[in-house]
Amino acid sequence: MKYQSQKVAYWYFLTAMAVFAVQGLGGRWAGCSYIAPNFWADVVPFNIVRMLHTNSLIVWLLLGFFGAAYFLVPEESEREIHSPMLAYIQLGILVLGTAGVVVTYLFDLFPGHWLLGKEGREFIEQPVWVKLGIVVASLIFLFNITMTVLKGRKTAITNVLLLGLWGLVLLFLFSFYNPTNLVLDKMFWWYIVHLWVEGTWELVMASILAFLLLKLTGVDREIVEKWLYVIVATALFSGILGTGHHYYWIGLPSYWQWVGSIFSALEVVPFFAMMSFSFVMVWMGRRDHPNKAALLWALGAATVAFFGAGVWGFLHTLHGVNYYTHGTQITAAHGHLAFFGAYVSVNLAIITYAMPILRGRDPYNQVMNMVSFWLMTGGMAFMTFVLTFAGTIQTHMQRVLGENFMEIQESMHLFYIMRWGAGLAVVVGAILFIYAQLVIHDKPKSASSEG
Amino acid sequence: MREVMTKTMARNVFYGGSLFFILVFLAMSFHSVGYVVNKSTASAEITEEVALGKHVWEKHACINCHTIMGEGAYFAPELQNVMSRWGVSDDPEGAFDAMQGWMEAQPSGIEGRRQMPQFNLSDEEIRGLSEFFLWVGKVDTQGWPPNDAG
């Protein structure tokens, strides 16, 4: 560690990995409801388990982003974090809120209560008191990290990272706006959901990737930063109007069909650029960095994001196709690979890179870490394939032939069993990853792991 | 490429272009809100019952099994067109009766079939829910879903 206050990131990463484990187990649990519906319905209903699965995903990804910021901003700004104490308070609020969410969902506490009950809009089901806590924690974070950046060296990486983080926090404020008109509700709900994952989060991802490639390959900063700007430009130029691909069938004007189709088709570009950029940088770079696992995750993130977000997104984004595939297992297939490739992998990449430095060691458990990469990536790819097959069958039987939803689901049973197995591989990989980060068997070495 | 574009140029294109697209998006959003209020949802009034129904829908996190207008979980059927699927879209009393019968029958307990929980809704909440789905069914969704199966 160059800067003592980077240590803050260690606790964010630990918490993130713990919630990651919860997310994976929640996914297996939800997957059981598809295979053995009667038994699991009596334990906890599917909707509750799914909320835990999606909410824990969002929470741990954000914890990872916060941790990444606390790790890389000191190095970029060349100074200590403004206030490590504030960073720990922020983490405490987020942990408390997360625990509150889990308890509220599982025991269905205060149903319908305006402050204490869950809110029941997809992904932003958190009770209002938790949302307020998230806002307070986010403001603490933004203050802390902005002060650090303002007082130190300003780089393109911190510029883009900060822009992404400010954007995502401001967009979250739309979660407090819930009009009684369902169409308006949906329209502004996408301001959060789409403009997070296909806008601001891409800025965060690209800046983390740029930082990693800078460190791992030793390529000239000028080149990395120029391409960072080019990539995030293509991300926002396509992604903002690309919101239109969610506006086809929810009661909005028909012009969104063309605007959404054209601009969301272009959303492939930033992901293709990130992938090409990553490989070219590695090819150009002359540094032989010892942390091979971090490099694998960084390249893996860029590649799987291109397939998951780019290719699988394009697969059903044109409105003529989407008319039939909208809200089928095709969407589920895309969602899983896109989140895994883009945001899970980039988090695991920065964690893999940072943990040895934060613990003052040379990179450790690299083979185990790489095995976990292939287990998780292979499992998630297989899950995506089987859900795509399932979705294709569903689209044809339900949307073209007009057969009843529940009857078709029975004919997709085999795919759901295979999905469960694929998910198990992902969870085993995740546990292996966490083990590889936490447990070291050899003795500590000299602090030669800098950079 | 170094000669074609410098880092400063790339940065300015990013900031300028993003601002442009944000403004275009906001203008289109502004127009869309007018379209929603005056056109696509104008044929049916949002009564207190509809509002209550939406609250019930959210209170029980229905969207984490069902989809509505294709959005949600994919575990249970689409509900934007549930009233037309039940053949009661022009019959509020029939819609209420059908909704009440459905809600009382849950969970079905049928072996091997996904189970919907028993939510113990009051008559008022059931009325709200049926009015909410009648309202949702009247929204102009550009012809989606393709058929009654949803």
Side-chain angles (χ1 to χ4, degrees):
Chain A
M1 266 187 312
K2 280 197 190 107
Y3 301 91
Q4 283 311 308
S5 56
Q6 282 178 295
K7 192 77 186 178
V8 170
Y10 179 73
W11 297 103
Y12 275 83
F13 290 150
L14 284 192
T15 319
M17 285 190 282
V19 184
F20 179 31
V22 172
Q23 188 224 339
L25 295 174
R28 288 317 75 230
W29 196 346
C32 287
S33 300
Y34 274 86
I35 299 171
N38 302 78
F39 171 70
W40 292 97
D42 291 338
V43 186
V44 180
F46 179 84
N47 61 339
I48 305 296
V49 182
R50 183 180 187 263
M51 285 195 291
L52 292 175
H53 181 55
T54 57
N55 285 214
S56 53
L57 167 71
I58 297 164
V59 167
W60 89 257
L61 292 180
L62 288 174
L63 285 168
F65 288 162
F66 294 145
Y70 283 129
F71 178 79
L72 71 81
V73 165
E75 289 202 15
E76 288 290 296
S77 302
E78 296 179 332
R79 67 186 309 280
E80 298 285 350
I81 291 168
H82 177 70
S83 163
M85 179 55 78
L86 280 179
Y88 288 120
I89 292 172
Q90 180 206 345
L91 182 61
I93 295 173
L94 291 171
V95 169
L96 184 73
T98 305
V101 161
V102 172
V103 173
T104 306
Y105 292 176
L106 274 180
F107 300 100
D108 195 23
L109 302 177
F110 313 108
H113 192 281
W114 70 274
L115 181 66
L116 303 174
K118 65 175 180 291
E119 287 218 282
R121 289 193 293 159
E122 199 183 6
F123 310 137
I124 47 171
E125 297 95 346
Q126 308 83 32
V128 171
W129 72 270
V130 175
K131 287 197 176 86
L132 291 170
I134 293 171
V135 170
V136 171
S138 305
L139 291 177
I140 292 174
F141 170 76
L142 289 176
F143 170 76
N144 209 4
I145 217 76
T146 307
M147 289 303 284
T148 312
V149 168
L150 285 181
K151 286 182 185 169
R153 180 177 67 146
K154 287 147 195 80
T155 68
I157 289 172
T158 54
N159 268 354
V160 173
L161 181 68
L162 235 65
L163 203 64
L165 293 166
W166 270 94
L168 84 86
V169 172
L170 291 178
L171 287 166
F172 181 72
L173 296 179
F174 279 99
S175 70
F176 292 96
Y177 174 61
N178 183 9
T180 48
N181 186 322
L182 183 75
V183 177
L184 293 179
D185 168 0
K186 282 175 174 294
M187 179 178 162
F188 290 105
W189 179 82
W190 282 116
Y191 268 47
I192 312 170
V193 178
H194 175 91
L195 293 176
W196 268 22
V197 299
E198 286 157 78
T200 50
W201 285 30
E202 278 186 62
L203 305 195
V204 176
M205 178 194 177
S207 57
I208 294 175
L209 260 186
F211 173 80
L212 284 172
L213 292 168
L214 195 64
K215 297 287 178 181
L216 294 171
T217 68
V219 168
D220 185 32
R221 176 180 282 276
E222 277 298 304
I223 299 174
V224 171
E225 297 201 322
K226 179 174 79 182
W227 283 102
L228 175 62
Y229 277 126
V230 173
I231 287 167
V232 292
T234 59
L236 291 194
F237 294 0
S238 60
I240 293 171
L241 290 181
T243 314
H245 68 178
H246 301 292
Y247 287 174
Y248 298 160
W249 325 117
I250 62 169
L252 292 174
S254 58
Y255 55 68
W256 286 111
Q257 293 174 15
W258 284 104
V259 174
S261 289
I262 291 166
F263 283 90
S264 69
L266 293 172
E267 283 183 41
V268 181
V269 175
F271 287 106
F272 184 76
M274 264 191 266
M275 180 177 65
S276 322
F277 166 74
S278 304
F279 279 96
V280 171
M281 288 304 112
V282 173
W283 174 63
M284 281 173 63
R286 278 173 295 275
R287 184 178 292 171
D288 187 24
H289 196 280
N291 198 334
K292 304 291 178 213
L295 188 63
L296 178 65
W297 275 109
L299 290 176
T303 309
V304 183
F306 167 67
F307 283 101
V311 177
W312 253 260
F314 179 73
L315 194 67
H316 59 142
T317 202
L318 300 177
H319 68 266
V321 175
N322 193 264
Y323 182 69
Y324 295 100
T325 60
H326 181 50
T328 63
Q329 292 296 326
I330 298 278
T331 320
H334 159 61
H336 280 90
L337 198 63
F339 264 96
F340 174 78
Y343 303 121
V344 170
S345 300
V346 85
N347 263 306
L348 300 185
I350 187 77
I351 291 174
T352 299
Y353 174 77
M355 283 298 268
I357 298 171
L358 291 169
R359 300 179 73 172
R361 290 164 178 277
D362 291 334
Y364 53 85
N365 293 340
Q366 295 216 53
V367 174
M368 201 191 296
N369 190 325
M370 290 193 215
V371 170
S372 84
F373 169 86
W374 289 110
L375 264 175
M376 278 191 255
T377 306
M380 203 47 94
F382 192 80
M383 182 190 293
T384 304
F385 297 148
V386 293
L387 287 182
T388 306
F389 292 135
T392 308
I393 290 172
Q394 185 185 7
T395 300
H396 184 71
M397 293 179 77
Q398 184 181 328
R399 295 288 164 67
V400 180
L401 302 180
E403 289 180 33
N404 182 293
F405 176 93
M406 289 306 287
E407 276 144 37
I408 297 158
Q409 292 296 319
E410 281 168 27
S411 64
M412 289 147 69
H413 195 72
L414 178 65
F415 295 111
Y416 292 135
I417 294 174
M418 292 196 282
R419 184 266 295 274
W420 199 90
L424 187 65
V426 177
V427 172
V428 170
I431 292 168
L432 202 60
F433 178 89
I434 295 168
Y435 182 87
Q437 297 305 327
L438 298 184
V439 183
I440 311 173
H441 291 292
D442 59 359
K443 290 173 190 158
K445 286 180 184 166
S446 63
S448 61
S449 54
E450 290 294 335
Chain B
M1 199 63 201
R2 193 169 295 129
E3 298 77 29
V4 180
M5 185 170 47
T6 63
K7 188 172 100 181
T8 314
M9 284 164 66
R11 188 193 65 196
N12 294 344
V13 168
F14 166 61
Y15 285 138
S18 299
L19 191 64
F20 170 76
F21 282 107
I22 288 169
L23 292 176
V24 172
F25 182 64
L26 287 177
M28 290 177 72
S29 293
F30 183 76
H31 178 267
S32 293
V33 170
Y35 172 89
V36 172
V37 174
N38 300 318
K39 279 199 167 162
S40 66
T41 67
S43 63
E45 192 194 347
I46 301 176
T47 60
E48 278 182 27
E49 287 166 334
V50 173
L52 173 67
K54 184 168 183 278
H55 181 66
V56 173
W57 162 262
E58 289 166 6
K59 179 165 83 172
H60 294 295
C62 307
I63 201 162
N64 278 291
C65 286
H66 292 277
T67 55
I68 190 161
M69 298 182 184
E71 294 167 2
Y74 319 104
F75 189 68
E78 164 67 28
L79 294 181
Q80 190 264 343
N81 64 343
V82 64
M83 289 305 174
S84 78
R85 189 155 64 237
W86 284 353
V88 290
S89 48
D90 298 317
D91 174 13
E93 288 313 311
F96 172 79
D97 290 342
M99 183 62 76
Q100 192 172 40
W102 179 266
M103 285 297 174
E104 278 173 5
Q106 307 306 319
S108 72
I110 298 170
E111 191 56 38
R113 191 181 169 93
R114 297 174 193 172
Q115 297 297 307
M116 180 163 157
Q118 173 54 251
F119 290 110
N120 300 309
L121 301 181
S122 67
D123 280 1
E124 196 188 359
E125 288 179 314
I126 290 173
R127 170 72 66 181
L129 217 45
S130 69
E131 289 295 316
F132 173 63
F133 287 124
L134 287 171
W135 181 86
V136 169
K138 291 192 179 71
V139 174
D140 176 6
T141 51
Q142 307 287 344
W144 196 90
N147 54 51
D148 265 354

